[in-house]
């Protein structure tokens, strides 16, 4: 899976979960943060059932006390969480309605910012976060929403300041996790791992433990450390069984180890349960890489439908759509989508998408300028290196192209079920031409 898409899955996870925990405590529970979840592993179905129970409980309270703004905010947060665990974006509209009923409060602003991040409306998320900070200047959660939005908008200095403020206010799992990602974006893998280890040490709930183990697993997987990655995914599942991100991590390891039947079955079950665009794309690529073109085409069709459904609910993701289109050779669609996203935000993620879309359209000189921007922070990202290598190869800069492709495969020889194969073939072709 493309890393920027994976990050989009996780970008709101901790804040959403924190708000949902508050909702799950029940309206009558006055303890700060509410009651923690039980320590046993909770399957996704049980998690969904629990969230539905919380929603019903809040609805009952609001029927009796319709002016209870905090309960409206908690209901909105619960709907955002339901959208995540069910992969059903129709909950976004319900979340927005509930949060609007919560009025002009700091908690409502945090919820609206979290919702905007989930919908990939990062300018709105930034504005809501700033409004929340004005109302709640000591809220680490508000700074978390701001850090997520600014990271995606490409405001590196602003994101760093927001993360530091989080750490100053509350050095907990959420703040250390964001510090970890900031280190990773700047090429400091050791710093990222250390910060995430501290996040795990601070973790107090099964959800937080699972999230930290997932991120540690991703750091290992993204740097060709399969055994370590598998260990983290397993440890995460021990804390929260059947977690979809950790299940996807295990499936990726199976792909990397050449266990195609195991991986295909794991992905089949995963997309049936959580038809998120990034999972559908990965499954389609895996099918295609294993010679199952017709089945892959069906998954790409499902992916297109899911993207349309998300867009109908205000959750458009031109970045992901641009990358899928470019990988499939649809240059016109790829560039249209990438340019639309670039008009809204100029992050390293979108710079890479612009570079790849321009390459597919044969505009490699322009593509290289965007590739330069994509690599400006120093992120050690295999997909970025692959894209850069292919662009350089098209420009006839063979030595530099080989260096970039070697870098991609050295970082992560399994960064994509399909594109990693293409990287290896191109590298062999370039070496054969010497």
């Amino acid at each position: 899976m493309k890393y920027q898409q994976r990050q989009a899955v996780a970008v709101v996870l901790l804040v959403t979960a924190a708000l949902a925990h508050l909702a799950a405590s029940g309206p009558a529970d006055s303890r700060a943060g509410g009651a923690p979840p039980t320590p046993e592993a909770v399957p996704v179905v049980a998690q969904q059932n629990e969230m539905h129970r919380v929603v019903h409980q809040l609805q009952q309270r609001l029927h009796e006390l319709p002016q209870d703004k905090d309960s409206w905010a908690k209901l909105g947060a619960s709907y955002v969480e339901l959208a995540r665990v069910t992969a059903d974006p129709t909950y976004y509209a319900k979340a927005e309605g509930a949060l609007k009923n919560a009025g002009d409060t700091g908690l409502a602003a945090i919820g609206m910012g979290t919702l905007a991040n989930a919908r990939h409306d990062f300018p709105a998320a930034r504005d809501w976060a700033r409004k929340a900070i004005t109302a709640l200047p000591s809220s680490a959660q508000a700074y978390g929403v701001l850090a997520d939005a600014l990271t995606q908008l490409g405001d590196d200095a602003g994101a760093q300041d927001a993360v530091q403020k989080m750490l100053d206010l509350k050095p907990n799992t959420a703040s250390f996790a964001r510090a970890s990602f900031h280190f990773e974006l700047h090429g400091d893998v050791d710093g990222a791992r250390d910060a995430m280890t501290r996040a795990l040490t601070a973790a107090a709930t099964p959800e937080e433990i699972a999230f930290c183990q997932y991120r540690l697993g991703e750091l290992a997987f993204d740097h060709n450390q399969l055994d370590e990655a598998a260990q983290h995914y397993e440890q995460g599942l021990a804390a929260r069984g059947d977690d979809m991100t950790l299940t996807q991590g295990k499936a990726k390891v199976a792909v990397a180890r050449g266990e195609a039947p195991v991986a295909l079955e794991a992905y089949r079950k995963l997309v049936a349960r959580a038809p998120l665009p990034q999972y559908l794309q990965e499954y389609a690529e895996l099918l295609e890489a294993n010679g199952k073109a017709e089945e892959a085409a069906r998954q790409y069709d499902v992916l297109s439908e899911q993207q349309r459904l998300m867009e109908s609910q205000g959750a458009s993701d031109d970045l992901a759509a641009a990358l899928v289109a470019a990988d499939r050779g649809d240059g016109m669609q790829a560039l249209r989508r990438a340019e639309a996203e670039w008009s809204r935000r100029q992050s390293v993620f979108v710079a890479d998408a612009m570079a790849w879309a321009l390459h597919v359209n044969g505009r490699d000189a322009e593509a290289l300028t965007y590739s330069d921007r994509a690599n400006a922070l120093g992120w050690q990202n295999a997909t970025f290196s692959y894209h850069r290598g292919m662009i350089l190869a098209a420009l006839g800069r063979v030595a530099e192209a080989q260096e970039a492709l070697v870098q991609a495969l050295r970082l992560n020889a399994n960064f994509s079920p399909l594109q990693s194969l293409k990287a290896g073939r191109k590298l062999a072709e370039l070496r054969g031409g010497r």
Side-chain angles (χ1 to χ4, degrees), residues 364-402:
D364 290 289
E366 295 172 77
L368 188 59
T369 65
Y370 282 97
S371 179
D372 289 341
R373 295 187 66 163
N375 289 277
L377 296 181
W379 193 9
Q380 297 182 42
N381 181 283
T383 300
F384 282 22
S385 294
Y386 164 62
H387 290 168
R388 186 173 183 83
M390 297 297 278
I391 292 165
L392 288 165
L395 290 169
R397 294 164 63 166
V398 176
E400 294 170 271
Q402 289 185 51

Short mmCIF file of all heavy atoms in Angstrom, two decimals, residues 364-402:
data_model
loop_
_atom_site.label_atom_id
_atom_site.label_comp_id
_atom_site.label_asym_id
_atom_site.label_seq_id
_atom_site.Cartn_x
_atom_site.Cartn_y
_atom_site.Cartn_z
N ASP A 364 8.19 14.21 -18.12
CA ASP A 364 9.13 13.82 -17.07
C ASP A 364 10.00 14.95 -16.55
O ASP A 364 10.41 14.92 -15.39
CB ASP A 364 9.99 12.66 -17.58
CG ASP A 364 9.18 11.38 -17.72
OD1 ASP A 364 8.81 10.81 -16.69
OD2 ASP A 364 8.90 10.99 -18.86
N ALA A 365 10.30 15.95 -17.36
CA ALA A 365 11.08 17.08 -16.87
C ALA A 365 10.30 17.81 -15.78
O ALA A 365 10.86 18.18 -14.74
CB ALA A 365 11.43 18.03 -18.01
N GLU A 366 9.01 18.02 -16.01
CA GLU A 366 8.16 18.63 -14.98
C GLU A 366 8.02 17.69 -13.78
O GLU A 366 8.03 18.14 -12.62
CB GLU A 366 6.77 18.93 -15.55
CG GLU A 366 6.72 19.96 -16.65
CD GLU A 366 5.34 20.04 -17.26
OE1 GLU A 366 4.45 20.64 -16.62
OE2 GLU A 366 5.14 19.49 -18.36
N ALA A 367 7.88 16.41 -14.08
CA ALA A 367 7.71 15.44 -13.00
C ALA A 367 8.88 15.48 -12.03
O ALA A 367 8.70 15.36 -10.80
CB ALA A 367 7.57 14.03 -13.58
N LEU A 368 10.08 15.65 -12.55
CA LEU A 368 11.25 15.64 -11.68
C LEU A 368 11.25 16.79 -10.69
O LEU A 368 11.69 16.63 -9.55
CB LEU A 368 12.53 15.67 -12.53
CG LEU A 368 13.84 15.47 -11.76
CD1 LEU A 368 13.84 14.14 -11.03
CD2 LEU A 368 15.03 15.56 -12.71
N THR A 369 10.72 17.94 -11.08
CA THR A 369 10.66 19.07 -10.15
C THR A 369 9.74 18.74 -8.97
O THR A 369 10.01 19.12 -7.83
CB THR A 369 10.18 20.35 -10.85
OG1 THR A 369 8.84 20.19 -11.30
CG2 THR A 369 11.08 20.69 -12.04
N TYR A 370 8.65 18.04 -9.25
CA TYR A 370 7.75 17.64 -8.16
C TYR A 370 8.37 16.52 -7.33
O TYR A 370 8.16 16.46 -6.10
CB TYR A 370 6.39 17.20 -8.72
CG TYR A 370 5.52 18.38 -9.12
CD1 TYR A 370 5.46 18.80 -10.44
CD2 TYR A 370 4.78 19.07 -8.17
CE1 TYR A 370 4.67 19.88 -10.81
CE2 TYR A 370 3.99 20.15 -8.52
CZ TYR A 370 3.93 20.55 -9.85
OH TYR A 370 3.17 21.63 -10.20
N SER A 371 9.11 15.64 -7.96
CA SER A 371 9.81 14.60 -7.21
C SER A 371 10.82 15.22 -6.25
O SER A 371 10.99 14.74 -5.12
CB SER A 371 10.51 13.64 -8.17
OG SER A 371 11.21 12.64 -7.46
N ASP A 372 11.50 16.28 -6.71
CA ASP A 372 12.42 16.99 -5.81
C ASP A 372 11.67 17.49 -4.57
O ASP A 372 12.18 17.39 -3.44
CB ASP A 372 13.07 18.16 -6.54
CG ASP A 372 14.07 17.73 -7.60
OD1 ASP A 372 14.54 16.58 -7.54
OD2 ASP A 372 14.38 18.54 -8.49
N ARG A 373 10.48 18.04 -4.79
CA ARG A 373 9.70 18.56 -3.66
C ARG A 373 9.23 17.43 -2.76
O ARG A 373 9.18 17.56 -1.53
CB ARG A 373 8.50 19.37 -4.18
CG ARG A 373 8.89 20.63 -4.91
CD ARG A 373 7.70 21.51 -5.26
NE ARG A 373 7.06 22.06 -4.08
CZ ARG A 373 6.22 23.09 -4.11
NH1 ARG A 373 5.95 23.70 -5.26
NH2 ARG A 373 5.66 23.54 -2.99
N ALA A 374 8.88 16.30 -3.37
CA ALA A 374 8.41 15.16 -2.58
C ALA A 374 9.49 14.64 -1.65
O ALA A 374 9.21 14.14 -0.55
CB ALA A 374 7.93 14.04 -3.51
N ASN A 375 10.75 14.75 -2.06
CA ASN A 375 11.86 14.23 -1.28
C ASN A 375 12.56 15.29 -0.43
O ASN A 375 13.61 15.01 0.16
CB ASN A 375 12.86 13.56 -2.22
CG ASN A 375 12.34 12.25 -2.79
OD1 ASN A 375 12.41 11.21 -2.16
ND2 ASN A 375 11.78 12.32 -4.00
N ALA A 376 11.98 16.48 -0.37
CA ALA A 376 12.66 17.61 0.27
C ALA A 376 12.87 17.41 1.77
O ALA A 376 13.86 17.91 2.32
CB ALA A 376 11.87 18.90 0.02
N LEU A 377 11.97 16.69 2.43
CA LEU A 377 12.09 16.51 3.88
C LEU A 377 13.06 15.40 4.26
O LEU A 377 13.46 15.30 5.41
CB LEU A 377 10.72 16.22 4.50
CG LEU A 377 9.66 17.32 4.39
CD1 LEU A 377 8.36 16.88 5.07
CD2 LEU A 377 10.16 18.63 5.00
N GLY A 378 13.39 14.54 3.29
CA GLY A 378 14.30 13.44 3.58
C GLY A 378 13.63 12.13 3.93
O GLY A 378 14.29 11.20 4.41
N TRP A 379 12.33 12.03 3.69
CA TRP A 379 11.59 10.81 4.02
C TRP A 379 12.17 9.63 3.25
O TRP A 379 12.34 9.68 2.03
CB TRP A 379 10.13 11.00 3.64
CG TRP A 379 9.18 9.98 4.19
CD1 TRP A 379 9.44 9.01 5.11
CD2 TRP A 379 7.80 9.85 3.84
NE1 TRP A 379 8.31 8.27 5.37
CE2 TRP A 379 7.29 8.77 4.60
CE3 TRP A 379 6.95 10.53 2.97
CZ2 TRP A 379 5.96 8.36 4.51
CZ3 TRP A 379 5.63 10.13 2.88
CH2 TRP A 379 5.15 9.06 3.64
N GLN A 380 12.47 8.55 3.95
CA GLN A 380 12.98 7.33 3.34
C GLN A 380 11.78 6.45 2.95
O GLN A 380 11.39 5.54 3.67
CB GLN A 380 13.91 6.59 4.30
CG GLN A 380 15.16 7.38 4.67
CD GLN A 380 16.07 6.59 5.59
OE1 GLN A 380 16.29 5.40 5.40
NE2 GLN A 380 16.61 7.27 6.60
N ASN A 381 11.21 6.75 1.80
CA ASN A 381 9.97 6.13 1.36
C ASN A 381 10.21 5.37 0.06
O ASN A 381 10.63 5.96 -0.93
CB ASN A 381 8.90 7.20 1.18
CG ASN A 381 7.56 6.63 0.76
OD1 ASN A 381 7.39 6.28 -0.40
ND2 ASN A 381 6.64 6.55 1.69
N ALA A 382 9.94 4.08 0.06
CA ALA A 382 10.24 3.25 -1.10
C ALA A 382 9.42 3.66 -2.32
O ALA A 382 9.93 3.66 -3.45
CB ALA A 382 9.97 1.78 -0.77
N THR A 383 8.16 4.00 -2.12
CA THR A 383 7.32 4.40 -3.24
C THR A 383 7.84 5.67 -3.89
O THR A 383 7.91 5.78 -5.11
CB THR A 383 5.86 4.60 -2.79
OG1 THR A 383 5.36 3.36 -2.26
CG2 THR A 383 4.99 5.04 -3.94
N PHE A 384 8.22 6.64 -3.06
CA PHE A 384 8.78 7.88 -3.60
C PHE A 384 10.05 7.58 -4.42
O PHE A 384 10.26 8.14 -5.49
CB PHE A 384 9.13 8.84 -2.46
CG PHE A 384 7.95 9.57 -1.86
CD1 PHE A 384 6.67 9.09 -1.97
CD2 PHE A 384 8.15 10.74 -1.15
CE1 PHE A 384 5.59 9.76 -1.41
CE2 PHE A 384 7.09 11.43 -0.58
CZ PHE A 384 5.80 10.93 -0.71
N SER A 385 10.91 6.71 -3.89
CA SER A 385 12.15 6.39 -4.59
C SER A 385 11.86 5.66 -5.90
O SER A 385 12.54 5.90 -6.92
CB SER A 385 13.06 5.53 -3.70
OG SER A 385 13.49 6.26 -2.57
N TYR A 386 10.88 4.78 -5.89
CA TYR A 386 10.49 4.08 -7.12
C TYR A 386 10.01 5.07 -8.17
O TYR A 386 10.43 5.02 -9.33
CB TYR A 386 9.41 3.06 -6.79
CG TYR A 386 8.65 2.55 -7.99
CD1 TYR A 386 9.29 1.85 -9.02
CD2 TYR A 386 7.27 2.75 -8.09
CE1 TYR A 386 8.57 1.38 -10.12
CE2 TYR A 386 6.55 2.28 -9.18
CZ TYR A 386 7.21 1.60 -10.19
OH TYR A 386 6.51 1.14 -11.28
N HIS A 387 9.12 5.95 -7.77
CA HIS A 387 8.62 6.95 -8.72
C HIS A 387 9.77 7.79 -9.28
O HIS A 387 9.84 8.04 -10.49
CB HIS A 387 7.60 7.85 -8.03
CG HIS A 387 6.31 7.17 -7.72
ND1 HIS A 387 5.36 7.73 -6.88
CD2 HIS A 387 5.80 5.98 -8.13
CE1 HIS A 387 4.33 6.90 -6.79
NE2 HIS A 387 4.57 5.84 -7.53
N ARG A 388 10.67 8.20 -8.41
CA ARG A 388 11.80 9.02 -8.85
C ARG A 388 12.69 8.23 -9.83
O ARG A 388 13.14 8.77 -10.84
CB ARG A 388 12.61 9.48 -7.65
CG ARG A 388 13.74 10.46 -7.99
CD ARG A 388 14.38 11.02 -6.73
NE ARG A 388 15.40 12.00 -7.06
CZ ARG A 388 15.17 13.28 -7.33
NH1 ARG A 388 13.91 13.73 -7.30
NH2 ARG A 388 16.13 14.12 -7.62
N GLY A 389 12.92 6.96 -9.53
CA GLY A 389 13.75 6.16 -10.40
C GLY A 389 13.16 6.01 -11.79
O GLY A 389 13.87 6.08 -12.80
N MET A 390 11.86 5.81 -11.86
CA MET A 390 11.20 5.65 -13.16
C MET A 390 11.23 6.96 -13.94
O MET A 390 11.38 6.95 -15.18
CB MET A 390 9.76 5.18 -12.96
CG MET A 390 9.66 3.81 -12.29
SD MET A 390 10.38 2.45 -13.26
CE MET A 390 9.01 2.12 -14.37
N ILE A 391 11.09 8.08 -13.25
CA ILE A 391 11.15 9.38 -13.91
C ILE A 391 12.56 9.63 -14.46
O ILE A 391 12.74 10.03 -15.62
CB ILE A 391 10.75 10.49 -12.92
CG1 ILE A 391 9.26 10.39 -12.58
CG2 ILE A 391 11.07 11.88 -13.49
CD1 ILE A 391 8.85 11.19 -11.36
N LEU A 392 13.55 9.35 -13.65
CA LEU A 392 14.94 9.54 -14.09
C LEU A 392 15.28 8.62 -15.26
O LEU A 392 16.00 9.01 -16.19
CB LEU A 392 15.89 9.30 -12.92
CG LEU A 392 15.89 10.39 -11.83
CD1 LEU A 392 16.57 9.87 -10.57
CD2 LEU A 392 16.58 11.66 -12.33
N ALA A 393 14.77 7.40 -15.22
CA ALA A 393 15.01 6.48 -16.33
C ALA A 393 14.42 7.02 -17.62
O ALA A 393 15.04 6.94 -18.69
CB ALA A 393 14.43 5.11 -16.00
N ALA A 394 13.22 7.57 -17.54
CA ALA A 394 12.58 8.13 -18.73
C ALA A 394 13.34 9.33 -19.27
O ALA A 394 13.30 9.61 -20.47
CB ALA A 394 11.14 8.54 -18.39
N LEU A 395 14.07 10.03 -18.39
CA LEU A 395 14.87 11.17 -18.81
C LEU A 395 16.25 10.75 -19.32
O LEU A 395 17.05 11.62 -19.71
CB LEU A 395 15.02 12.16 -17.65
CG LEU A 395 13.74 12.93 -17.26
CD1 LEU A 395 13.95 13.67 -15.94
CD2 LEU A 395 13.32 13.89 -18.35
N GLY A 396 16.54 9.47 -19.27
CA GLY A 396 17.83 8.99 -19.75
C GLY A 396 18.96 9.15 -18.75
O GLY A 396 20.14 8.95 -19.10
N ARG A 397 18.64 9.46 -17.52
CA ARG A 397 19.66 9.63 -16.47
C ARG A 397 19.83 8.27 -15.76
O ARG A 397 19.35 8.05 -14.66
CB ARG A 397 19.25 10.76 -15.54
CG ARG A 397 19.25 12.11 -16.28
CD ARG A 397 18.50 13.22 -15.57
NE ARG A 397 19.06 13.59 -14.29
CZ ARG A 397 18.74 14.71 -13.63
NH1 ARG A 397 17.87 15.59 -14.17
NH2 ARG A 397 19.27 14.97 -12.45
N VAL A 398 20.50 7.38 -16.46
CA VAL A 398 20.51 5.96 -16.10
C VAL A 398 21.13 5.71 -14.73
O VAL A 398 20.58 4.97 -13.90
CB VAL A 398 21.23 5.15 -17.18
CG1 VAL A 398 21.34 3.68 -16.77
CG2 VAL A 398 20.49 5.27 -18.51
N ALA A 399 22.28 6.30 -14.47
CA ALA A 399 22.97 6.04 -13.19
C ALA A 399 22.11 6.50 -12.01
O ALA A 399 21.98 5.79 -11.01
CB ALA A 399 24.33 6.74 -13.18
N GLU A 400 21.52 7.69 -12.14
CA GLU A 400 20.67 8.21 -11.06
C GLU A 400 19.41 7.36 -10.92
O GLU A 400 18.92 7.14 -9.80
CB GLU A 400 20.30 9.66 -11.34
CG GLU A 400 21.47 10.62 -11.30
CD GLU A 400 21.07 11.99 -11.82
OE1 GLU A 400 21.16 12.23 -13.04
OE2 GLU A 400 20.64 12.82 -10.99
N ALA A 401 18.88 6.90 -12.05
CA ALA A 401 17.69 6.06 -12.01
C ALA A 401 17.98 4.75 -11.27
O ALA A 401 17.19 4.31 -10.42
CB ALA A 401 17.20 5.77 -13.42
N GLN A 402 19.11 4.15 -11.58
CA GLN A 402 19.48 2.91 -10.89
C GLN A 402 19.63 3.14 -9.40
O GLN A 402 19.17 2.33 -8.57
CB GLN A 402 20.79 2.37 -11.46
CG GLN A 402 20.68 1.82 -12.86
CD GLN A 402 21.97 1.19 -13.34
OE1 GLN A 402 22.55 0.36 -12.65
NE2 GLN A 402 22.44 1.59 -14.50
#
